[in-house]
């Protein structure tokens, strides 16, 4: 007789533990035949493969497994088969008769959990070994007798029964058994009447309810009990969740631990939450993110006290750990249109013990083709730069930033050699919005198609940045805005008066919770006011074309040209891009994209002669961000444009 999955009309869900196996790779064997030199590579492509070097279990009992699922959809069959350890471990026989029986008993619980997870609470299941049920008194003897004749046959027959749907869902106060005001609706909990009654929805609802009341200021809110009743007459699951909200709280004192590598009060000055303010887990998360952005800090742990003070305050402890102060690294970039570069850097995250950062960069670049403006120019360039940041220069929200660089830059429009210096004070209004006012100095020699000139540039840039995205390298939601207005006191031949303004807006939206389908868009535009084209030095004009703007076109090629067809740059520009980022697997993704843009000799873009391109990108997702490979082709190329572009770098295109 088949065994019912759950014989009682009242079914209390049990938590199901899911174990994750992690393989830690040690030193490689000395010889290729020593336990599998290529195991890590093979594991990458097939993590469930049988390892040739694994020793078989002592007294191993080989067996065959037959799983039959009747009256079920394909996804339910797959869930049951996937839940079976007898199936997944059939190539690794267990030790002895007891090991085989124990594995079968484990399968019984795992398959029940799989049925509950899919909304089936009235099914039947029968597991037999050599045709005998698991509770047969002499089952061990039967296994021993059968194994002498060959692999032991194991059979599982499952009938999931009807699909249950949610019926009545009630959220009650655990103390009074009365409905709770401001409780989320069953629809918000994904437990709406008539919807499949998957066990995962109930487990998720517990966390949702706890978080809901925590956000309302109840730090110890939890689901104290639940009653889950499977009505087999109606095939409905009726759920009652009893919530103990506890007392509402305010924030108490904050205690900082482990910050002795920073000046006294450094962390405390950056805690913007004051005792007596209403408790808010969102504010704690924002605080943790902000403190985690301090370069000298490796980790931030926020611990709430396990009880309130007599005044209803919740004390909070912040534990910070130091990051290794020194770091080194390198990066590389390749493009058949923009040129290639190599960069090595060294840095210190806590230079003088006050959270100061210093980074030294040394990069070399190769333009990869002959410069149109300076045909006989050496295609190699370089850049030596030092970047320094001093946090809390005025208040905890004000940072001093400075960067100095010596460089040689080779492009199609010009060759520049000189020195640049940019410094300013950055003020943080909140975790998403900041502004910076600074000084922009440049002393350089620039050769373009018309002249060789020495330039001293003095500007006062004002920057505004807004960013509420969820990742710096691979965002899936939110927007970014970067805007700059820079009046110049000296700019080429123009003297005082010109103003440069530009802005870039990017937006991201994921269509699913797993973030496998993300649409991303970017719009950028800018221009000079109060200057003629030749008043602005070539290196400060606007250019469009290449991997950073208009993929598929040569670097700077969608820009104004002189009578000889040589790129001279423009006073304004417009760019726009759209991408559909699709993850095929957890590590591989594809990105179809469309770009458009052009630079113009006028103060404002007139949108004539707009260039378009389309392409397909490949993404390999790593722990530090996606590795990008893009291939693009021009859609309306002109006589000076190439036929395609290839770009390789770390991070998304925007």
């Amino acid at each position: 007789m088949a065994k019912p999955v759950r014989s009682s009309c009242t079914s209390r869900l049990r938590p199901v533990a899911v174990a994750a196996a992690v393989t830690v790779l040690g030193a490689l064997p000395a010889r290729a035949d020593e336990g599998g030199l290529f195991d890590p590579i093979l594991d990458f492509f097939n993590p469930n493969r049988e390892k040739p070097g694994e020793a078989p279990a002592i007294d191993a009992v080989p067996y065959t497994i037959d799983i039959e699922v009747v009256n079920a959809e394909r996804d339910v069959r797959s869930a049951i088969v996937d839940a079976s350890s007898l199936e997944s471990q059939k190539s690794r026989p267990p030790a002895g008769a007891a090991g085989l029986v124990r594995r079968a008993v484990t399968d019984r619980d795992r398959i029940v959990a799989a049925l509950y997870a899919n909304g089936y609470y009235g099914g039947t299941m029968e597991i037999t070994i050599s045709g005998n049920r698991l509770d047969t008194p002499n089952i061990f003897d039967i296994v021993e007798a059968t194994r002498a004749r060959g692999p032991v046959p194991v059979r599982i027959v499952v009938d999931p029964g009807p699909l249950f749907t949610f019926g009545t869902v009630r959220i009650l106060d655990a103390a009074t058994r009365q409905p709770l005001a401001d409780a989320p609706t069953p629809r918000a909990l994904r437990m709406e009447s008539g919807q499949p009654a998957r066990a995962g929805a109930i487990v998720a609802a517990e966390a949702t309810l706890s978080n809901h009341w925590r956000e309302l200021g109840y730090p110890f809110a939890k689901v104290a009990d639940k009653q889950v009743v499977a009505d087999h007459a109606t095939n409905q699951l009726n759920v009652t969740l009893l919530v103990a909200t506890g007392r509402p709280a305010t924030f108490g004192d904050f205690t900082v631990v482990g910050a002795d590598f920073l000046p006294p009060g450094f962390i405390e000055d950056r805690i913007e939450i004051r005792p007596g303010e209403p408790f808010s887990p969102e504010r704690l998360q924002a605080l943790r993110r902000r403190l985690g952005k301090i370069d000298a800090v490796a980790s931030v742990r926020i611990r709430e006290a396990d009880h309130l003070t007599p005044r209803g305050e919740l004390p909070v402890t912040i534990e910070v750990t130091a990051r290794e102060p020194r770091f080194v690294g390198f990066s590389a970039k390749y493009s058949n249109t923009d040129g290639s570069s190599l960069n090595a850097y060294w840095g210190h995250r806590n230079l003088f013990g006050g959270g100061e950062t210093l980074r030294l960069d040394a990069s070399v670049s190769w333009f990869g083709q002959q410069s149109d403006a300076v045909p006989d120019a050496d295609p190699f360039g370089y850049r030596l730069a030092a970047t320094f940041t001093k946090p809390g220069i005025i208040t905890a929200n004000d940072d001093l930033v400075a960067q100095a660089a010596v460089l040689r830059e080779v492009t199609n429009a010009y060759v520049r050699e000189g020195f640049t210096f940019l410094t300013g004070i950055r003020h943080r209004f909140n975790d998403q919005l900041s502004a910076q006012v600074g000084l922009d100095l440049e002393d350089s020699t620039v050769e373009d198609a018309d002249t060789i000139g020495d330039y001293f540039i003095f500007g006062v840039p004002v920057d505004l940045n807004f960013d509420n995205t969820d990742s710096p390298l691979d965002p899936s939601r939110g927007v970014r805005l970067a805007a700059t207005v820079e009046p110049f006191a000296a700019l080429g031949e123009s003297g005082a008066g010109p103003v440069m303004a530009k802005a870039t807006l990017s937006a991201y939206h994921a269509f699913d919770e797993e973030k496998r389908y993300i649409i991303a868009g970017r719009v950028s535009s800018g221009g000079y006011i109060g200057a003629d084209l030749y008043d602005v030095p070539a290196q400060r004009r606007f250019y469009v074309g290449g991997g950073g703007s208009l993929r598929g076109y040569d670097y700077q090629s969608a820009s104004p040209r002189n009578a000889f067809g040589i790129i001279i740059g423009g006073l304004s520009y417009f760019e726009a891009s759209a991408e559909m980022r699709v993850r095929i697997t957890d590590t591989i993704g594809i990105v179809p994209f469309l770009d458009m843009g052009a630079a113009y000799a006028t103060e404002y873009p007139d949108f004539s002669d707009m260039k378009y391109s389309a392409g397909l990108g490949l993404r390999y997702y790593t722990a530090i961000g996606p590795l990008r490979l893009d291939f693009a082709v021009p859609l309306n190329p002109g006589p000076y444009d190439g036929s395609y572009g290839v770009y390789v770098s770390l991070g998304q295109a925007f």
Side-chain angles (χ1 to χ4, degrees):
M1 181 180 296
K3 179 178 179 179
V5 170
R6 186 64 75 176
S7 58
S8 172
C9 187
T10 300
S11 171
R12 290 188 178 275
L13 295 180
R14 296 168 295 169
V16 179
V18 180
V22 180
T23 300
V24 179
L25 300 179
L28 292 175
R31 303 194 314 273
D33 60 348
E34 209 176 285
L37 176 62
F38 299 102
D39 279 359
I41 299 174
L42 297 174
D43 290 344
F44 177 83
F45 292 101
N46 183 12
N48 296 318
R49 74 184 184 90
E50 180 180 1
K51 308 295 190 300
E54 286 184 350
I58 299 175
D59 193 28
V61 179
Y63 64 89
T64 60
I65 175 67
D66 178 27
I67 301 177
E68 181 181 357
V69 183
V70 299
N71 303 321
E73 300 292 335
R74 179 183 300 176
D75 58 341
V76 179
R77 288 196 196 97
S78 297
I80 291 171
V81 173
D82 291 344
S84 171
S85 58
L86 285 165
E87 173 65 28
S88 62
Q89 300 182 48
K90 61 186 177 183
S91 61
R92 297 185 288 277
L100 180 60
V101 174
R102 185 164 53 248
R103 189 174 289 185
V105 171
T106 300
D107 261 21
R108 181 174 57 196
D109 294 338
R110 290 170 62 94
I111 292 173
V112 167
L115 290 171
Y116 285 8
N118 285 273
Y120 294 88
Y121 299 86
T124 59
M125 173 172 50
E126 184 177 68
I127 302 179
T128 59
I129 299 178
S130 297
N132 295 268
R133 292 175 49 168
L134 300 181
D135 56 0
T136 302
N138 62 335
I139 188 64
F140 294 152
D141 296 334
I142 293 172
V143 172
E144 293 295 344
T146 305
R147 67 183 292 194
R149 299 190 296 271
V152 179
V154 182
R155 179 173 171 78
I156 302 176
V157 180
V158 181
D159 183 348
L163 174 66
F164 278 61
T165 59
F166 284 114
T168 302
V169 177
R170 299 188 301 165
I171 314 298
L172 304 181
D173 187 305
T176 66
R177 300 296 177 108
Q178 296 299 312
L180 276 165
D182 301 322
T185 64
R187 182 174 185 179
L189 296 174
R190 299 188 178 182
M191 296 170 60
E192 194 173 11
S193 179
Q195 294 298 311
R198 296 184 173 90
I202 302 175
V203 176
E206 293 188 50
T208 299
L209 290 172
S210 175
N211 292 335
H212 172 76
W213 267 283
R214 278 176 55 83
E215 290 170 358
L216 293 177
Y218 296 82
F220 300 114
K222 64 179 180 179
V223 175
D225 196 9
K226 59 180 177 290
Q227 296 173 355
V228 182
V229 179
D231 187 340
H232 293 267
T234 61
N235 296 329
Q236 287 187 327
L237 200 70
N238 300 316
V239 182
T240 300
L241 297 171
L242 302 173
V243 179
T245 62
R247 293 173 55 192
T250 58
F251 282 112
D253 292 330
F254 282 78
T255 303
V256 177
V257 177
D260 52 354
F261 59 95
L262 292 167
F266 187 93
I267 297 295
E268 288 84 350
D269 289 344
R270 286 156 177 78
I271 300 174
E272 298 177 338
I273 304 172
R274 297 292 173 257
E277 294 184 14
F279 170 79
S280 167
E282 183 179 351
R283 294 201 66 188
L284 285 180
Q285 287 300 318
L287 174 62
R288 184 188 61 79
R289 289 193 298 268
R290 184 188 178 197
L291 297 179
K293 292 179 181 178
I294 299 173
D295 287 335
V297 173
S299 65
V300 179
R301 181 186 179 192
I302 296 181
R303 291 191 294 108
E304 303 170 16
D306 57 6
H307 64 278
L308 302 181
T309 67
R311 295 191 300 175
E313 294 181 337
L314 181 69
V316 177
T317 300
I318 300 176
E319 298 177 356
V320 297
T321 57
R323 185 179 276 179
E324 287 295 327
R326 295 172 182 83
F327 62 92
V328 295
F330 72 94
S331 62
K333 183 179 71 173
Y334 168 78
S335 167
N336 70 320
T337 63
D338 299 18
S340 305
S341 65
L342 291 172
N343 182 65
Y345 56 86
W346 173 93
H348 199 296
R349 299 186 176 98
N350 197 12
L351 188 63
F352 303 124
E356 304 89 352
T357 61
L358 174 67
R359 173 166 163 159
L360 305 179
D361 285 81
S363 62
V364 293
S365 59
W366 179 60
F367 186 52
Q369 56 185 305
Q370 186 182 67
S371 172
D372 292 341
V374 190
D376 57 348
D378 190 324
F380 287 94
Y382 62 84
R383 185 173 184 271
L384 303 175
T387 305
F388 176 77
T389 302
K390 169 63 177 176
I393 190 68
I394 301 174
T395 72
N397 291 325
D398 302 305
D399 299 336
L400 172 68
V401 294
Q403 184 181 85
V406 177
L407 56 84
R408 182 177 190 271
E409 183 182 13
V410 182
T411 74
N412 257 329
Y414 61 85
V415 175
R416 171 173 61 154
E417 295 185 15
F419 170 80
T420 63
F421 179 73
L422 180 65
T423 186
I425 294 179
R426 180 176 57 212
H427 177 77
R428 188 190 70 88
F429 295 100
N430 53 47
D431 291 330
Q432 300 172 348
L433 181 64
S434 65
Q436 179 175 318
V437 178
L439 296 176
D440 176 11
L441 304 176
E442 177 181 342
D443 187 5
S444 60
T445 300
V446 179
E447 182 177 2
D448 59 18
D450 301 309
T451 62
I452 299 178
D454 294 327
Y455 298 97
F456 177 76
I457 296 173
F458 178 81
V460 182
V462 179
D463 301 306
L464 182 70
N465 288 276
F466 177 84
D467 188 343
N468 66 355
T469 59
D470 56 350
S471 171
L473 287 177
D474 189 22
S476 63
R477 61 172 176 81
V479 298
R480 287 175 180 163
L481 172 66
T484 300
V485 175
E486 183 170 3
F488 290 94
L491 180 68
E493 301 299 326
S494 63
V499 176
M500 185 274 293
K502 63 180 180 179
T504 300
L505 176 66
S506 304
Y508 312 87
H509 175 71
F511 290 96
D512 60 319
E513 292 185 2
E514 292 77 20
K515 302 177 182 179
R516 291 188 173 273
Y517 301 92
I518 300 171
I519 188 169
R522 176 181 66 95
V523 176
S524 183
S525 185
Y528 280 93
I529 301 171
D532 294 330
L533 179 62
Y534 288 99
D535 289 337
V536 180
Q539 77 276 19
R540 293 290 178 129
R541 297 172 195 160
F542 291 116
Y543 301 89
V544 172
S549 58
L550 182 63
R551 287 165 285 188
Y553 288 84
D554 288 346
Y555 184 54
Q556 302 175 331
S557 64
S559 308
R561 299 172 183 265
N562 64 14
F564 302 100
I566 298 174
I567 298 169
I568 57 174
L571 284 177
S572 62
Y573 78 102
F574 176 83
E575 299 170 356
S577 298
E579 294 188 346
M580 186 66 198
R581 300 170 181 174
V582 181
R583 282 208 185 197
I584 305 300
T585 69
D586 289 340
T587 56
I588 301 296
I590 58 172
V591 180
F593 58 84
L594 177 68
D595 293 346
M596 60 185 293
Y600 301 94
T602 54
E603 286 187 348
Y604 304 97
D606 61 17
F607 300 99
S608 62
D609 299 322
M610 189 72 67
K611 297 289 187 177
Y612 301 87
S613 68
L616 184 66
L618 179 67
R619 302 291 184 268
Y620 178 74
Y621 294 93
T622 70
I624 59 175
L627 181 64
R628 174 171 72 107
L629 171 62
D630 285 344
F631 176 82
V633 295
L635 296 182
N636 57 333
Y640 300 104
D641 297 319
S643 55
Y644 69 93
V646 178
Y647 313 91
V648 180
S649 65
L650 180 66
Q652 298 285 7
F654 57 88

